[in-house]
Amino acid sequence: MDHLRLPSIFVSHGSPMTALEPGAAGAFMQALGTRIDARFGRPKAILAISAHTAARAPVLLAGTRHEAVYDFGGFDPKLYTLRYDAPGAPALASRVTALMSAAGLPVHVSPEGGLDHGNWTPLRYMYPDADVPILPLAFVPMHSPAQQFALGQALAPLADEGVLILASGSITHNLRRVFEHGLRGPVDRPEIAESAAFRHWLLTRSGARDWDALFDYRARAPHAADMHPTDEHLLPWYIAAGAGGRENAPLRLHDSVTYGSLGMDAYAFGAQAARLLEHEPAGAALT
């Protein structure tokens, strides 16, 4: 099928254990890959942006092949047996470099490959055959939400070229709260009030396209500093949002919580985002 304009996507990758214990979010990501293919056609490539791949200046990892990087410790040893050997997308690096340069944004290109768990966890569910070329982009975590949004705006033309912009992080991310019962604490703990309030605020401000509030979330959102002591896990959301455009309200596709406070929400951005919920009840999660 001919490619339609792809929405950009943000997924919460959760604990590394998500790769072994999919839960509701894993089931959602499995359905998401199938739904993207059915509604828009298989992406020609994926520009992958993860909270765990960051640098002092933007860097494209333009290796010809990628493998899973095990950037964690202390979890189930089975995690180290999981693989995701995917083709790289070095040719796409030239296109992304041109787009960023045209927007006055610096970017470096590295011949290295590798996918951190924020990338390979959702990709193993979305595209388990590892047959879609991937170009990781290391972002700058010191940049503000508005600057991340501007980066996404620069990347927006990729959506018309069959390239899926897939950002990964976490809607809420306070590891002290998440692991206060240890690395193997109860994954199904009831959600704490602070997490629920923050997620609801992000949902309602998104629906209102209140970009001023969203860019200033640390001052305006309830419990922002508690839910994001550092904000590198939320910043990829803004890159995906920028690619979708200011005129389009971010659309929540999925919401769930693990460990009582680790939000697993996923969003789609862009004029065609609602196609991912076709034949679903209004407001329903894609599960």
Side-chain angles (χ1 to χ4, degrees):
M1 65 180 292
D2 293 334
H3 276 277
L4 301 173
R5 182 176 179 83
L6 281 162
S8 51
I9 303 291
F10 172 87
V11 295
S12 296
H13 58 257
S15 159
M17 289 300 296
T18 303
L20 292 176
E21 300 171 350
F28 155 75
M29 287 185 276
Q30 285 179 315
L32 177 61
T34 300
R35 186 63 61 91
I36 289 171
D37 290 357
R39 297 289 183 265
F40 299 97
R42 175 64 63 98
K44 296 176 181 176
I46 296 172
L47 182 69
I49 303 151
S50 166
H52 293 277
T53 296
R56 288 179 292 179
V59 179
L60 294 164
L61 300 183
T64 58
R65 298 290 302 176
H66 297 293
E67 296 180 354
V69 175
Y70 308 109
D71 54 329
F72 46 77
F75 292 93
D76 192 322
K78 291 179 182 177
L79 284 170
Y80 297 93
T81 71
L82 301 180
R83 300 190 62 86
Y84 197 77
D85 301 327
L92 179 60
S94 297
R95 175 62 174 147
V96 174
T97 297
L99 290 172
M100 294 180 63
S101 296
L105 300 174
V107 62
H108 303 276
V109 179
S110 168
E112 298 179 3
L115 301 170
D116 68 64
H117 81 275
N119 281 325
W120 62 257
T121 295
L123 286 168
R124 288 185 87 250
Y125 288 120
M126 293 174 63
Y127 295 107
D129 293 333
D131 55 355
V132 180
I134 301 166
L135 178 65
L137 169 61
F139 75 109
V140 182
M142 292 80 73
H143 286 175
S144 68
Q147 289 174 300
Q148 309 294 352
F149 191 91
L151 170 58
Q153 288 179 305
L155 300 172
L158 297 175
D160 288 317
E161 300 167 15
V163 177
L164 174 66
I165 297 174
L166 177 65
S168 172
S170 192
I171 286 294
T172 54
H173 190 263
N174 182 330
L175 294 185
R176 179 185 61 80
R177 285 187 174 273
V178 169
F179 297 124
E180 62 186 357
H181 298 289
L183 292 180
R184 298 295 291 158
V187 69
D188 58 351
R189 259 190 298 162
E191 184 179 16
I192 63 175
E194 293 87 346
S195 172
F198 182 90
R199 294 194 308 118
H200 179 70
W201 182 90
L202 190 70
L203 175 66
T204 56
R205 292 303 86 211
S206 293
R209 290 182 296 171
D210 188 351
W211 296 112
D212 288 341
L214 289 164
F215 293 158
D216 195 27
Y217 88 94
R218 293 195 75 80
R220 302 197 197 186
H223 313 291
D226 186 4
M227 292 298 94
H228 287 282
T230 58
D231 61 358
E232 77 286 336
H233 271 73
L234 189 59
L235 292 177
W237 187 94
Y238 291 95
I239 301 174
R246 293 182 69 97
E247 67 278 13
N248 300 304
L251 176 66
R252 188 165 73 175
L253 301 178
H254 173 80
D255 73 287
S256 64
V257 176
T258 56
Y259 303 100
S261 63
L262 188 60
M264 300 298 292
D265 298 13
Y267 280 77
F269 310 88
Q272 300 294 325
R275 288 178 61 85
L276 291 172
L277 287 180
E278 286 182 0
H279 308 304
E280 300 287 339
L286 176 58
T287 55

